[in-house]
């Protein structure tokens, strides 16, 4: 075998594989060059998802005509010149790889003119070769036009998604950069349509308004915190703003957009118990730190950074969030002397932030097909449940007894009576655990031939029903949710979900990505009973809603459906449809802690008894369970 050094062109194509993964990576590299060039206005225009054409035009310092060809050479950069510069990188670029890589896998035309320069120049590169170079009329600044991306690397093409998805990724890059640089006006145009335009007035709040729309930006509070040389600024959602995924979280380190588990973990720990479980906070977090304490050179596309002292980063982000979000709501008790940490009232503070535990939770975001994160009983499990449900055969105090037998301390009395005593002793502290262990309850199958009596509502959450020899408990939310879900599934299959038309349309402000997702899925919305239409700048007008949804639930339900649609892009049509029907059913169902009237309880119990499917709610939680008369009699030592 002959060992040869690869020719430059081939080496560049290989390097391109790392730097240029898809159109959005080209957009990122070119925009970063514009930012490094001191531009105050950057326009990104694409067609065909950025594959056919992608251009980035800035009003930055421009390149000297003599440097324009050189800039396309691998490792050609004006940003660093000695190894010590690597320790304190303040520019976004420094590897001198982007232009060489992009030019290796596309046709690239660069126009550039410097301030005070007598002429502009144009350089055309294709597949790594110089095609043309000469003077050209152009304004001060630089414009790069990238055409036919990946024309010579067909393998790469196979990994790309549909044009609109790739366009969405480019838009995401522009949004993230625009939030990092409110002093720069960013414009993003896809297939002739303006999707993003930020004013560039220097205010993060205005950039957030332009990017996220008025609803989201109106619920953001400023972050301002410093600790141990780390400064945190940005915006974070109040407690009523959250999403089902991390799509609205943007992290920056020294103004470099990044992905970092420590920061994410701290952010989410900061919101723990303030937003619902399974939801993710919305935030723009900007962390500034001495550049010698962070390594930005750990990822070819510079997407990740490495901190030397992760725990300090964690603490700073955590307290920045706590300080901004909950202190605003709960009165702050004075800060301890000599400490710059706020002391938050006990009812709010989760105590010390738990770095180790929360960092692990960062892995848990439902990405892609979320179905694998949800508990769905398998067919076998369902069968097992049904099998266990021999009507009225709940005389399983034996197994209950034998469980306790094992737990009894040596020498303890064997009398049956002790068992119930023990239940009572244990109840206050270990109640939940014990209930799990004791098999005195079982999912009930109703014997519809039996007469029944509704006893009432327990804890405003469970309906108690006496039926034959059982006390049946029904979880009102789970039951109602399952009933609505089954009805929606049936009606959707029969194309019968009729919208209930609104007298006044409800206008909802969305982020550009949410808006695109809503518009792309308009027919799907129609199938499930929503009539939506475009209403100007990222706003939609909802004119009709499924009959189970109330007016107050319109906004939340639409946003949640969009979240679901985006999260489940890769799921099958059916799994996606099912998940969205759960969402609607969950929204529409009565909640735990809702007080019900006797008539409401009667209606619900009647339907639960009639429906075979109300064993579990759509998420797999039991709908009904029963306690035997025998067990109750044992409690009272009647047996
Ligand atoms: P890097 O950004 O890592 O230095 P690039 O390959 O992205 O490497 O760019 C090479 C060089 O070309 C840069 O160092 C810079 O001097 C110049 N350059 C690229 N884009 C621009 C631009 N938009 N305006 C001014 N100079 C630019
Ligand atoms: Mg660069």
């Amino acid at each position: 075998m002959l060992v040869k050094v690869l020719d430059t062109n081939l080496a560049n194509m290989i390097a391109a594989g790392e730097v240029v993964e898809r159109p959005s990576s080209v957009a990122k590299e070119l925009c970063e060059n514009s930012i490094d060039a001191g531009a105050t206005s950057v326009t990104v225009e694409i067609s065909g998802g950025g594959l056919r054409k992608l251009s980035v035009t800035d009003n930055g310092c421009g390149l000297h005509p003599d440097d324009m060809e050189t800039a396309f050479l691998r490792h050609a950069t004006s940003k660093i010149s000695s190894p010590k510069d690597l320790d304190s990188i303040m520019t976004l670029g420094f590897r001198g790889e982007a232009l060489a890589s992009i030019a290796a896998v596309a046709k690239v035309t660069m126009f550039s003119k410097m301030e005070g320069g007598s002429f502009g120049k144009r350089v055309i590169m294709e597949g790594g070769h110089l095609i043309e170079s000469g003077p050209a009329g152009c304004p001060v600044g630089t414009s790069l036009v990238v055409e036919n991306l990946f024309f010579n690397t067909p393998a790469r093409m196979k990994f790309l998604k549909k044009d609109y998805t790739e366009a969405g990724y480019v838009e995401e890059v522009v949004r993230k950069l625009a939030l990092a640089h409110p002093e720069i006006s960013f414009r993003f145009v896809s297939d002739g349509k303006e999707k993003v335009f930020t004013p560039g007035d220097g205010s993060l709040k205005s950039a957030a308004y332009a990017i996220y729309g008025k609803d989201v930006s109106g619920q953001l509070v400023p972050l301002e915190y410093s600790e141990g040389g780390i400064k945190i600024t940005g915006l974070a959602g109040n407690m009523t703003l959250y999403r089902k995924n991390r799509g609205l979280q943007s992290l920056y380190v020294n103004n470099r957009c990044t992905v970092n588990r420590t920061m994410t973990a701290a952010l989410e720990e900061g919101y723990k118990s303030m937003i619902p479980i399974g939801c993710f906070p919305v935030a723009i977090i900007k962390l500034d730190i001495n550049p010698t304490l962070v390594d930005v050179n750990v990822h070819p596309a510079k997407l990740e950074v490495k901190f030397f002292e992760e725990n300090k980063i964690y603490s700073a982000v955590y307290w920045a969030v706590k300080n901004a979000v909950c202190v605003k709501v709960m009165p702050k008790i004075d800060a301890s002397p000599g400490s710059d940490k706020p002391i938050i009232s006990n009812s709010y503070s989760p105590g010390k932030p738990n770095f180790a535990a929360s960092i692990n939770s960062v892995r848990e975001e439902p990405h892609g097909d979320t179905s694998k994160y949800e508990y769905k009983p398998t067919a076998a499990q369902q069968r097992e449940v049904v099998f266990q449900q021999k009507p009225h055969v709940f005389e399983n105090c034996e197994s209950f007894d034998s469980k306790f037998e094992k737990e009894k301390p040596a020498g303890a009395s064997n009398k049956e009576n002790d068992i119930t005593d023990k239940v009572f002793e244990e109840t206050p502290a270990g109640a939940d655990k014990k209930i799990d262990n004791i098999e005195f309850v079982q999912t009930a199958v109703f014997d519809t031939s039996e007469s029944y009596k509704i006893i009432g509502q327990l804890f405003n959450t469970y309906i108690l029903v006496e039926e034959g020899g059982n006390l049946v408990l029904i979880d009102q939310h789970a039951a109602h949710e399952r009933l609505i879900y089954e009805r929606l599934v049936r009606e959707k299959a029969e194309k019968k979900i009729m919208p209930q038309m609104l007298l006044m349309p409800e206008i909802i402000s969305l982020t550009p990505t949410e808006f695109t997702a809503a518009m792309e899925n308009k027919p799907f919305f129609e199938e499930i009973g929503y009539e939506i239409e475009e209403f100007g700048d990222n706003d939609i007008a909802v004119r009709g809603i499924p009959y189970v949804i109330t007016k107050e639930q319109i906004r939340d339900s639409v946003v949640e459906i969009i979240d679901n649609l985006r999260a489940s892009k890769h799921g099958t049509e059916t799994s996606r449809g099912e998940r969205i029907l759960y969402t609607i059913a969950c929204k529409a169902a009565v909640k735990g802690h809702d007080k019900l009237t006797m008539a409401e309880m009667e209606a619900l119990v009647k339907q639960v008894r009639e429906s075979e499917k109300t064993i579990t709610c759509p998420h797999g939680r039991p709908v009904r369970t029963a306690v035997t008369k025998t067990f109750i009699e044992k409690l009272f030592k009647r047996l």
Side-chain angles (χ1 to χ4, degrees), residues 23-41:
S24 63
S25 14
V26 174
K28 175 180 176 285
E29 293 294 339
L30 299 184
C31 287
E32 288 187 350
N33 281 346
S34 300
I35 297 166
D36 285 343
T40 57
S41 149

Side-chain angles (χ1 to χ4, degrees), residues 29-30 32-33 36 79 92-99 302:
E29 293 294 339
L30 299 184
E32 288 187 350
N33 281 346
D36 285 343
K79 299 169 193 175
L92 293 167
F94 57 88
R95 298 167 66 113
E97 275 179 331
L99 292 186
K302 297 164 274 148

